[in-house]
């Protein structure tokens, strides 16, 4: 059976429409992929899965920014020491030879790439996976524009010169639209014209109050710029593009190891502050508010499948929501409930965890003042009197900042529809379904949340305890359980 159905010619080179019967692994056979954000959380899982499940991949070019005192080869070697790659090291150690670091920075003109490297990418790359972005919520608008918007525009300019480009995958976010209603898998209007943004920045380059007014319904400059970028990417007809919108991306569910993650960002930090007893007060409109999480391995599988099935005849980019609320919803209350249950079961807390939920911001602030701030200041005063270094107020500031970063997202009662993403998965062969599971309807939340909790305690907690100089000691009541002291 012929695999190539039709070819169309465009400025970026030959685009090939791949018949849906071709397996995902076969699509990547002999091809080279360019990855941005490869040293990040999702990027590591993407690279690992690509190497493990697409054995005939040619090369994986990884755009890596040089850091002071650390070159790109050193950063790559440090990356593959991560436990996520342990399985590959044991079974296919030779595949790491396919990783090719490219020195570059999405913040720099022409991505800061050397001319010879640029030519190599234009000659060899067939698939581009672009996830590099800043997720810092308090970054000034001009900083975030340069990273999230201009970085993507620079990447698209590079793609236009790629002779063999078949698929450009842009990783956005389900929160880009700041929705008050259901989010569908389509490109939405931009929140402003790009020219308007730069006119505003000329007048108010560092004015946080004016910026808050300008971005309007968006809670942060991050979601605003993601929305702007998504619209720009989606309406660019020159490049065969697919947009993936993940919700809250958390630990692996099934592969290559259960529960792996490498950061405290977002949901993970908020949940664990509660279960450690560091935070007791949560603003939540009601206990039925849907919380949308997606395991990182399910998201990565969706990315790999979507790029392989990209249809170059689309006039605008297809959009797939890497989300769970549209087909397998659960609640924020459920997340907290299971995490607290697990914490009490295994003793991963300093103070007995509990959570008070209220929709009143004023009540949360009042309870926080009397129940958290005053005790923290008193505790630090006692430490000073003993000649010890105070630590409680500093720790509380971090807890409150983490809580603040998630408050807006925990108030939105909306559903992220994922019908197109599920239809894409349903179109796969049985073999590909088994190899690239990405239908969130299959997630057993009771099982998964316990895997997620265990992953936090295994992959994140030890380094945090070392940083805080906290140790585990056996709890007398439980023969093999441990509790924080």
């Amino acid at each position: 059976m012929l695999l190539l159905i039709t070819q169309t010619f465009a400025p970026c080179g030959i685009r090939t429409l791949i018949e849906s019967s071709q397996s995902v692994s076969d699509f990547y056979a002999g091809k080279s992929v360019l990855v941005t954000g490869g040293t990040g959380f999702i990027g590591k899982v993407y690279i690992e899965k690509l190497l493990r499940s697409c054995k005939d991949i040619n090369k994986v070019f990884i755009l890596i920014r040089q850091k002071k005192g650390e070159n790109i080869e050193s950063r790559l070697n440090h990356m593959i020491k991560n436990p996520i790659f342990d399985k590959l090291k044991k079974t296919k150690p030779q595949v790491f030879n396919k990783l090719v670091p490219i020195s570059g920075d999405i913040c720099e003109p022409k991505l800061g790439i050397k001319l010879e490297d640029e030519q190599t990418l234009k000659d060899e790359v067939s698939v581009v996976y672009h996830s590099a972005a800043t997720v810092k919520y308090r970054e000034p608008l001009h900083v975030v524009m340069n990273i999230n918007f201009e970085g993507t525009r620079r990447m698209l300019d590079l793609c236009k010169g790629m002779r063999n480009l078949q698929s450009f995958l842009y990783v956005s976010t389900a929160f880009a639209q700041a929705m008050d209603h259901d989010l569908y898998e389509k490109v939405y209007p931009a929140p402003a014209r790009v020219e308007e943004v730069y006119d505003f920045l000329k007048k108010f380059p560092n004015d946080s109050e004016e910026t808050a007014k300008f971005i309007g319904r968006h809670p942060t400059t991050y979601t605003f710029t993601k929305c702007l970028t998504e619209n720009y990417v989606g309406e660019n007809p020159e490049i065969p593009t697919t947009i993936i919108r993940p919700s809250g991306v958390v630990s692996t569910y099934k592969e290559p190891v259960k529960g792996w993650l490498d950061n405290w960002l977002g949901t993970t930090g908020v949940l664990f502050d509660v279960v450690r007893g560091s935070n007791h007060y949560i603003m939540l409109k009601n206990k039925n508010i849907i919380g949308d999480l997606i395991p990182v391995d399910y998201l990565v599988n969706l990315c790999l499948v979507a790029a392989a099935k990209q249809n170059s005849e689309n006039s605008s980019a297809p959009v797939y929501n890497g989300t769970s609320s549209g087909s397998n919803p659960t609640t924020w209350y459920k997340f907290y409930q299971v995490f607290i249950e697990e914490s009490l079961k295994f003793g991963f807390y300093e103070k007995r965890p509990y959570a008070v939920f209220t929709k009143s911001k004023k009540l949360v602030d009042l309870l926080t003042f009397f129940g958290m701030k005053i005790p923290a200041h008193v505790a630090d005063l006692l430490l000073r009197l003993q000649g010890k270094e105070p630590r409680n107020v500093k720790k509380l500031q971090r807890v409150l900042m983490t809580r603040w970063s998630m408050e807006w997202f925990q108030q939105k009662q909306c559903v992220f529809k994922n019908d197109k993403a599920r239809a894409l998965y349903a179109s796969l062969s049985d073999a590909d379904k088994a190899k690239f599971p990405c239908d969130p309807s299959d997630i057993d939340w009771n099982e998964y949340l316990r895997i997620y909790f265990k992953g936090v305690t295994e992959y994140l907690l030890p380094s945090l305890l070392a940083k805080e100089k906290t140790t585990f000691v056996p709890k007398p009541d439980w023969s093999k359980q441990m509790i924080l002291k």
Side-chain angles (χ1 to χ4, degrees):
M1 181 182 292
L2 289 176
L3 294 179
L4 304 184
I5 297 177
T6 186
Q7 293 180 332
T8 57
F9 293 87
C12 62
I14 298 176
R15 302 175 182 175
T16 307
L17 180 62
I18 305 298
E19 192 181 60
S20 60
S21 61
Q22 183 185 32
S23 75
V24 174
S25 297
D26 284 346
F27 167 80
Y28 289 98
K31 293 183 173 66
S32 291
V33 178
L34 171 62
V35 177
T36 74
T39 58
F41 174 47
I42 302 173
K44 291 188 189 80
V45 182
Y46 179 87
I47 292 168
E48 192 279 338
K49 179 66 174 181
L50 195 62
L51 293 176
R52 180 164 49 88
S53 297
C54 302
K55 61 183 180 66
D56 293 322
I57 189 83
N58 184 28
K59 295 176 184 175
V60 180
F61 295 99
I62 309 173
L63 191 69
I64 301 178
R65 179 169 53 90
Q66 296 226 53
K67 288 187 175 181
K68 189 175 181 180
E70 188 176 20
N71 59 33
I72 60 172
E73 289 78 12
S74 176
R75 291 195 67 192
L76 178 61
N77 289 332
H78 179 75
M79 183 191 81
I80 62 179
K81 288 179 182 178
N82 195 285
I84 194 72
F85 294 103
D86 286 351
K87 186 173 183 178
L88 268 180
K89 290 175 186 175
K90 294 177 182 178
T91 59
K92 302 177 181 179
Q94 69 282 359
V95 299
F96 292 102
N97 294 329
K98 297 183 179 185
L99 299 182
V100 182
I102 298 289
S103 180
D105 187 340
I106 63 169
C107 295
E108 298 294 330
K110 293 190 175 182
L111 304 169
I113 298 175
K114 297 176 182 177
L115 286 176
E116 55 266 37
D117 288 338
E118 179 182 341
Q119 192 58 51
T120 298
L121 296 176
K122 287 180 176 180
D123 290 342
E124 298 189 30
V125 170
S126 298
V127 178
V128 174
Y129 168 88
H130 179 52
S131 69
T134 178
V135 296
K136 294 180 180 178
Y137 293 156
R138 289 201 168 187
E139 291 274 30
L141 181 57
H142 71 276
V143 173
V144 187
M145 278 293 292
N146 187 40
I147 300 172
N148 291 355
F149 181 80
E150 294 297 343
T152 303
R153 181 147 67 175
R154 294 175 189 118
M155 185 57 60
L156 285 172
D157 287 342
L158 174 64
C159 289
K160 291 173 185 177
M162 292 180 176
R163 297 189 298 108
N164 303 305
L165 184 67
Q166 290 181 256
S167 189
F168 172 78
L169 196 81
Y170 174 65
V171 181
S172 182
T173 171
F175 304 105
Q177 303 305 323
M179 306 299 288
D180 291 314
H181 50 82
D182 295 349
L183 176 75
Y184 292 88
E185 294 165 295
K186 65 179 184 178
V187 176
Y188 284 85
R193 291 185 297 107
V194 177
E195 296 79 10
E196 291 176 338
V197 178
Y198 285 114
D199 287 342
F200 169 80
L201 287 173
K202 288 178 183 177
K203 296 178 183 178
F204 306 102
N206 289 296
D207 191 319
S208 58
E209 290 186 5
E210 289 295 331
T211 297
K213 294 177 186 177
F214 181 74
I215 66 177
R217 63 192 176 92
H218 284 271
T220 68
T221 54
Y222 166 72
T223 63
F224 177 85
T225 54
K226 276 294 193 178
C227 183
L228 190 74
T229 307
E230 185 180 291
N231 178 268
Y232 178 80
V233 168
E235 297 301 327
N236 193 324
E238 298 179 73
I239 305 295
T241 299
T242 300
I243 296 172
I244 303 292
R245 284 201 198 109
S247 54
V249 186
V250 285
S251 79
T252 57
Y253 186 11
K254 297 179 179 179
E255 58 173 357
V257 289
K258 292 183 177 182
W260 177 86
L261 72 171
D262 71 350
N263 68 81
W264 290 100
L265 295 176
T267 302
T268 303
V270 172
L271 287 174
F272 220 75
D273 281 340
V274 170
V275 302
R276 290 187 71 193
S278 300
N279 178 29
H280 299 297
Y281 311 113
I282 303 295
M283 193 168 72
L284 200 65
K285 189 181 293 183
N286 62 65
K287 293 183 179 179
N288 295 317
I289 290 286
I290 295 172
D292 201 306
L293 299 182
I294 193 75
V296 64
D297 49 332
Y298 270 48
L299 173 67
V300 161
N301 287 335
L302 175 62
C303 290
L304 289 167
V305 170
K309 303 300 179 181
Q310 211 284 333
N311 185 340
S312 64
E313 291 186 335
N314 289 330
S315 58
S316 60
V319 180
Y320 299 108
N321 288 342
T323 57
S324 59
S325 58
S327 56
N328 189 9
T330 188
T331 64
W332 281 108
Y333 183 76
K334 176 76 170 180
F335 301 153
Y336 286 109
Q337 182 184 43
V338 173
F339 263 56
I340 289 174
E341 287 175 358
E342 292 298 287
S343 183
L344 291 172
K345 185 188 301 181
F346 297 108
F348 285 102
Y349 57 86
E350 295 163 287
K351 300 176 184 177
R352 188 173 180 84
Y354 65 87
V356 175
F357 298 94
T358 173
K359 61 183 178 181
S360 170
K361 173 66 172 172
K362 289 183 179 179
L363 183 56
V364 167
D365 290 342
L366 187 66
L367 291 170
T368 298
F369 180 76
F370 287 104
M372 295 170 65
K373 289 186 177 180
I374 289 179
H377 281 278
V378 171
D380 274 357
L381 177 60
L382 293 175
L383 287 173
R384 286 191 178 95
L385 292 174
Q386 298 173 47
K388 297 180 181 179
E389 183 180 354
R391 61 176 182 272
N392 294 284
V393 172
K394 184 177 180 180
K395 178 180 176 182
L396 178 61
Q397 289 173 342
R398 196 270 308 158
V399 170
L400 296 181
M401 179 62 71
T402 303
R403 187 178 75 182
W404 169 85
S405 72
M406 291 298 294
E407 280 182 350
W408 183 90
F409 301 98
Q410 293 185 152
Q411 305 309 308
K412 294 296 177 182
Q413 182 64 291
C414 56
V415 173
F416 299 143
K417 301 292 187 179
N418 59 357
D419 297 341
K420 291 182 180 179
R422 294 185 65 212
L424 179 68
Y425 175 74
S427 72
L428 300 177
S429 66
D430 289 343
D432 271 351
K433 286 178 181 177
K435 190 181 250 188
F436 301 95
C438 55
D439 187 345
S441 302
D442 298 334
I443 298 173
D444 180 332
W445 287 112
N446 284 316
E447 175 190 46
Y448 172 68
L449 289 173
R450 286 169 171 78
I451 291 172
Y452 178 17
F453 177 89
K454 186 176 184 297
V456 175
T457 62
E458 182 175 349
Y459 296 106
L460 297 182
L461 192 57
S463 59
L464 178 65
L465 296 176
K467 183 178 180 180
E468 295 179 350
K469 298 180 181 179
T470 307
T471 56
F472 278 120
V473 296
K475 187 172 182 180
D477 296 340
W478 299 331
S479 60
K480 290 188 178 181
Q481 306 304 337
M482 311 294 278
I483 188 169
L484 288 172
K485 183 180 180 180

